[in-house]
Amino acid sequence: MHITQLNWECLLHLFSFLDKNSRKSLAKTCHKLLQVFQDPSLWSLLNFHSPAELQKDNFLLGPALRYLSICWYSERVKVCNIEDWMKNNFQRDFCNRHENTVSDFLLEVCNRCPNLLSLTLSGCGHVTDDCILLLLKNCPNLRTLKLENCVRITDRTLEAATLLGGSLQTLHVDFCRNITQTGLERVREKRPSITLRAERSANMIPDNKPEKKVLLEKASRKSVQ
């Protein structure tokens, strides 16, 4: 019996056990398997392990997507975590190659995946508050938002979660160094029903823009004098 003789449900079940690359390879063998690959019900869950994976054509992005995870665990993440004004030319060049990759992908999610229920981002050092705010606006059913080691995320994301995350039940902002204790307390005050976690975030040293650092140094010198 040839694989294409299986009924649609069996083929979908078979594809569900394959990773994205294997699904794409199998889809190239014949038109029927390509149609299976393009079935929206096959793409309710997407996991990515680096920004480079977001630029491949081995997945389908659409309204069926419910669970999305982009988790980059690599030594290269440390480069993205360096403040922009402290990066050398090599580090800037490295970041320029993928600086907007995750953000651009999330914009596509905003436009094409209104039924998203869960988003997990880890090591995405270039994702900004504006990007998360837009996603909360366009994905009103979002229940779980987990952000880890996303250094550009600030209290603006926390505020957006309280105002726009009407369906939000779980909010994690672990190791996000520009989150403050004040921002966390506001979330607990305004949305006590949200399960909030912020491991190490409010205890980390936040970024300061160069002009702010100068002002702080001047204030410190004056206090010493």
Side-chain angles (χ1 to χ4, degrees):
M1 185 178 185
H2 193 271
I3 186 174
T4 56
Q5 293 177 289
L6 295 172
N7 64 37
W8 195 262
E9 289 72 21
C10 288
L11 288 172
L12 281 174
H13 188 64
L14 176 63
F15 266 74
S16 70
F17 289 98
L18 305 176
D19 59 28
K20 295 189 290 294
N21 285 331
S22 299
R23 290 179 183 181
K24 184 65 177 180
S25 297
L26 192 55
K28 291 179 178 179
T29 59
C30 73
H31 183 67
K32 183 174 182 179
L33 294 182
L34 175 61
Q35 288 181 314
V36 177
F37 175 85
Q38 293 172 340
D39 190 309
S41 64
L42 194 63
W43 303 100
S44 61
L45 168 67
L46 283 173
N47 294 317
F48 299 94
H49 304 288
S50 77
E53 291 184 16
L54 302 175
Q55 298 175 315
K56 295 182 178 180
D57 63 347
N58 58 0
F59 60 92
L60 191 69
L61 199 62
L65 184 64
R66 299 292 188 273
Y67 305 93
L68 172 62
S69 171
I70 306 172
C71 296
W72 193 21
Y73 302 113
S74 167
E75 287 295 314
R76 300 175 184 178
V77 173
K78 293 180 180 179
V79 177
C80 301
N81 288 345
I82 300 172
E83 294 95 323
D84 291 338
W85 57 86
M86 294 183 65
K87 292 174 182 172
N88 58 39
N89 291 334
F90 173 79
Q91 291 165 336
R92 288 194 188 94
D93 180 62
F94 171 77
C95 286
N96 286 339
R97 298 176 195 172
H98 65 268
E99 182 169 6
N100 298 314
T101 302
V102 178
S103 296
D104 289 346
F105 181 81
L106 290 178
L107 290 178
E108 287 294 312
V109 172
C110 289
N111 294 327
R112 298 161 64 180
C113 310
N115 301 311
L116 190 68
L117 298 177
S118 175
L119 173 65
T120 299
L121 300 177
S122 180
C124 299
H126 299 295
V127 172
T128 63
D129 294 316
D130 290 333
C131 190
I132 301 299
L133 188 150
L134 190 60
L135 189 133
L136 286 167
K137 278 185 178 180
N138 287 273
C139 302
N141 299 319
L142 193 70
R143 298 175 187 170
T144 301
L145 178 60
K146 296 182 179 180
L147 307 174
E148 179 188 49
N149 201 14
C150 297
V151 295
R152 293 192 181 184
I153 296 301
T154 72
D155 288 355
R156 286 187 60 215
T157 287
L158 298 180
E159 184 178 2
T162 62
L163 296 175
L164 303 173
S167 301
L168 207 60
Q169 299 173 358
T170 301
L171 176 61
H172 292 179
V173 282
D174 299 331
F175 297 91
C176 298
R177 65 175 179 245
N178 288 301
I179 293 293
T180 70
Q181 191 63 45
T182 300
L184 296 172
E185 289 172 358
R186 286 175 181 166
V187 174
R188 294 188 178 101
E189 178 185 345
K190 295 180 179 179
R191 294 288 302 278
S193 61
I194 291 180
T195 301
L196 179 64
R197 192 180 80 182
E199 186 177 349
R200 296 285 298 274
S201 292
N203 297 321
M204 300 178 76
I205 299 175
D207 296 343
N208 288 307
K209 292 183 179 180
E211 57 268 23
K212 286 186 179 180
K213 289 185 176 182
V214 171
L215 292 174
L216 288 172
E217 289 173 358
K218 288 182 178 178
S220 177
R221 284 197 294 268
K222 286 183 179 179
S223 64
V224 171
Q225 292 172 355

